[in-house]
Amino acid sequence: MMNVHLFVGPSATGMTVPIPDGIEVHPPARRESIRRLTAQHSTPGVILLADGTFHSYPAVGHRELREALESGWQVWGLCSMGAIRAAEMQPLGMRGYGTVFRKFAEDPEFADDEVALVHGLEPPFLPVSEPMVHIRAYLGHLGVTGALSAEQVDLTLDRFKNRWYAERTLPALARHLTDLGHETALAEVRAFGRFRLKTHDLESFLVARPWTLKEAHA
């Protein structure tokens, strides 16, 4: 049986799709996580990299991912740190998946801090702040529906983009939007799940199971 390893943390919060049997779950990857994993297995398997550390510990390294690829491991990236590394390492054979990955792959100006957030240090790694990529999706929805003007959307994007990522919280967003006259903001952020792109990417990925497809082994 193929050994499959998923590095995940806050991206799994609120997920409604179960992690398939046979996948070994690991905490968010940090520097040397991949090297330690591959050293424990004589036969290459599959690495699914969703979440990784940013500042609390050194981030998972390009070299260890390249070594895994060169050793025959199938390596996928999505959601957060995985999406960043997949976009950077596509030429070396790392595969990417999902909306967040495509943003990094298609827009060189899309910054790493778009997916950064503060979360608990122990399982289930509950998020404390909200990544900018989710806030951006929500504000885009408000602009399309006419709940906010284009100027208000731009103002809010600029204000939250220039905040430290730990201060990008839903209560802060609701207060700001209420000040702009968006009276239902508080109720809407309580149902914010639909805009959590990282979680949706993970759910879709686990349902599609692309690492099991024949073309993934070509």
Side-chain angles (χ1 to χ4, degrees):
M1 179 180 293
M2 184 184 302
N3 59 90
V4 183
H5 301 267
L6 171 63
F7 290 86
V8 70
S11 290
T13 300
M15 194 170 66
T16 59
V17 172
I19 294 174
D21 292 338
I23 295 180
E24 185 173 346
V25 178
H26 303 267
R30 60 180 71 168
R31 186 70 52 83
E32 298 297 318
S33 291
I34 303 302
R35 186 170 285 133
R36 284 194 296 270
L37 170 66
T38 57
Q40 295 169 4
H41 295 271
S42 57
T43 304
V46 181
I47 295 169
L48 313 175
L49 177 58
D51 293 326
T53 56
F54 279 86
H55 296 119
S56 53
Y57 300 95
V60 59
H62 299 82
R63 178 175 293 181
E64 58 190 303
L65 289 166
R66 185 187 68 202
E67 290 171 353
L69 289 162
E70 291 173 346
S71 298
W73 286 75
Q74 189 184 149
V75 185
W76 289 82
L78 66 157
C79 298
S80 191
M81 178 58 76
I84 294 171
R85 289 291 182 262
E88 294 168 338
M89 300 186 67
Q90 284 185 94
L92 297 179
M94 187 170 176
R95 300 171 169 90
Y97 182 94
T99 300
V100 179
F101 160 72
R102 288 192 295 273
K103 289 180 181 294
F104 282 109
E106 295 171 2
D107 183 1
E109 301 301 318
F110 200 70
D112 291 0
D113 89 314
E114 288 278 339
V115 294
L117 76 161
V118 173
H119 59 80
L121 298 179
E122 301 293 335
F125 305 103
L126 294 175
V128 176
S129 62
E130 201 69 41
M132 190 68 203
V133 68
H134 294 174
I135 293 174
R136 191 179 294 279
Y138 173 52
L139 293 175
H141 164 75
L142 294 183
V144 167
T145 60
L148 290 182
S149 67
E151 292 77 13
Q152 289 173 320
V153 169
D154 289 343
L155 170 66
T156 307
L157 282 172
D158 184 66
R159 178 165 298 185
F160 278 80
K161 183 65 176 174
N162 287 298
R163 285 189 178 199
W164 179 39
Y165 66 87
E167 296 177 349
R168 296 169 182 161
T169 65
L170 291 186
L173 180 60
R175 286 194 298 271
H176 171 76
L177 294 177
T178 300
D179 289 344
L180 290 180
H182 186 47
E183 297 178 356
T184 61
L186 184 59
E188 286 180 358
V189 298
R190 289 173 179 160
F192 197 80
R194 60 184 291 198
F195 303 105
R196 292 196 167 107
L197 304 183
K198 296 200 288 185
T199 302
H200 299 324
D201 281 353
L202 181 58
E203 290 177 322
S204 174
F205 183 71
L206 294 176
V207 170
R209 298 169 65 97
W211 66 91
T212 66
L213 301 178
K214 184 177 296 185
E215 57 266 28
H217 302 278

